Amino acid sequence: MPWGRTAILHQLPYAAPPRAKGALRIEAGAGGLSLLRQEGALRALFPRKPHVEAVILNTSGGATGGDRLEIEARATPGGHLRLTTQAAERAYRSSGGPAARIRNRLAAETGARLDWLPQETILYRGCDLDRALTLDLAPGARALLVEPVIFGRALMGEVLDEARFRDRIEIRRDGAPLYLDAMRLEGNVAAHLARPAVANGAGAMASVILAAAEAEAHLAPIRALLPVTAGATLIAPDLLVLRLLAEDGFVLRQTLLPVLDLLTGGTLPASWRL
């Protein structure tokens, strides 16, 4: 620009940064894996197992505002499909705009077994995450679900005094509602969790749900493993629900792993122990 002249700068319209999108669809039956479709940031690896085990990877490294991640998984008659993750999922600080959205849609048909065993979701300060899981069970299907959540990075001194987290789990059997759990945390999440009637200062929690004919038989052995910050109950003879609170992720795993080992017959995915 020559000296002494006035420059007129035209402001370009703001363009939102590109966001991660991913979709994963998996079906498995008595003959093994029957369908696999991978798009964008979601991928699956398959260790050699007697059943079909899918280790899910989010190549974007986590979820932040505007991300869209969707997983569909179906166990067809006679099949055993197990899904886990390579590592913990991270809900990063959002820069504004729409929330990060994760939708997990699962189904188990008659005589099938489906295990949903992701590792922890870590909520970062300033995150904005909207997550929902639906599970459709046919009569005679079996399902095991776990959803662990860590509220901030305690070792880094992070306090979750600014965050938004919406989570919903819905299970239907033969089209009829079987289980519904919804949670909404917004604003100063740490202060809310510090209330004695809410979480009494817990920094981590997990929900475990077993829908199976043998659910009632597992109740007493599981209760024997639980600390005073956890509880397990039967909502129906074939539906066991556990809620666990812990000081942090390390303490959470001290209880959660023995429970999952019990419910998986000692075959918990290797990624949980790395």
Side-chain angles (χ1 to χ4, degrees):
M1 182 196 308
W3 292 101
R5 294 187 181 180
T6 302
I8 300 176
L9 301 179
H10 297 280
Q11 185 176 4
L12 295 175
Y14 171 76
R19 299 298 350 131
K21 294 184 179 180
L24 180 64
R25 187 179 176 191
I26 300 173
E27 289 188 8
L33 186 67
S34 56
L35 184 149
L36 173 63
R37 181 176 179 180
Q38 306 175 104
E39 298 179 19
L42 289 179
R43 294 288 185 267
L45 301 176
F46 296 90
R48 292 185 178 181
K49 299 283 184 177
H51 52 270
V52 176
E53 182 171 298
V55 181
I56 300 168
L57 294 81
N58 177 5
T59 61
S60 68
T64 187
D67 288 0
R68 298 290 183 267
L69 303 173
E70 298 184 1
I71 295 174
E72 293 186 23
R74 178 179 295 273
T76 56
H80 178 189
L81 175 59
R82 174 172 290 171
L83 300 105
T84 188
T85 53
Q86 184 186 40
E89 181 64 281
R90 293 162 176 81
Y92 292 124
R93 183 178 184 88
S94 174
S95 57
R101 189 180 73 185
I102 298 177
R103 296 292 183 266
N104 300 312
R105 301 177 180 90
L106 314 176
E109 299 180 359
T110 301
R113 174 177 173 178
L114 188 145
D115 299 330
W116 174 256
L117 304 173
Q119 296 187 66
E120 299 88 345
T121 295
I122 305 174
L123 303 182
Y124 282 47
R125 184 176 184 270
C127 71
D128 188 357
L129 177 60
D130 183 348
R131 185 176 70 175
L133 180 149
T134 60
L135 170 62
D136 287 296
L137 294 171
R142 182 189 192 276
L144 171 63
L145 281 69
V146 63
E147 284 288 7
V149 180
I150 298 177
F151 300 104
R153 296 165 292 171
L155 290 180
M156 298 184 66
E158 184 174 59
V159 178
L160 213 63
D161 56 3
E162 177 193 351
R164 297 179 67 191
F165 179 50
R166 294 163 300 286
D167 197 26
R168 179 183 176 92
I169 299 174
E170 182 178 358
I171 303 175
R172 297 182 292 265
R173 188 189 293 281
D174 200 21
L178 183 66
Y179 178 83
L180 175 61
D181 184 40
M183 175 171 57
R184 182 185 181 99
L185 298 172
E186 188 169 348
N188 193 334
V189 173
H192 184 67
L193 295 174
R195 297 168 59 185
V198 178
N200 200 30
M205 66 166 286
S207 297
V208 179
I209 305 152
L210 175 66
E214 73 275 16
E216 188 170 5
H218 285 297
L219 181 60
I222 284 178
R223 282 180 170 171
L225 297 172
L226 299 182
V228 295
T229 56
T233 189
L234 286 172
I235 294 180
D238 61 349
L239 184 64
L240 185 152
V241 176
L242 180 153
R243 182 67 56 84
L244 170 63
L245 295 172
E247 178 183 350
D248 54 32
F250 178 78
V251 177
L252 183 78
R253 282 196 170 216
Q254 286 182 316
T255 298
L256 187 57
L257 263 66
V259 168
L260 295 179
D261 275 333
L262 176 65
L263 295 178
T264 60
T267 62
L268 187 64
S271 58
W272 271 84
R273 305 188 191 280
L274 297 179

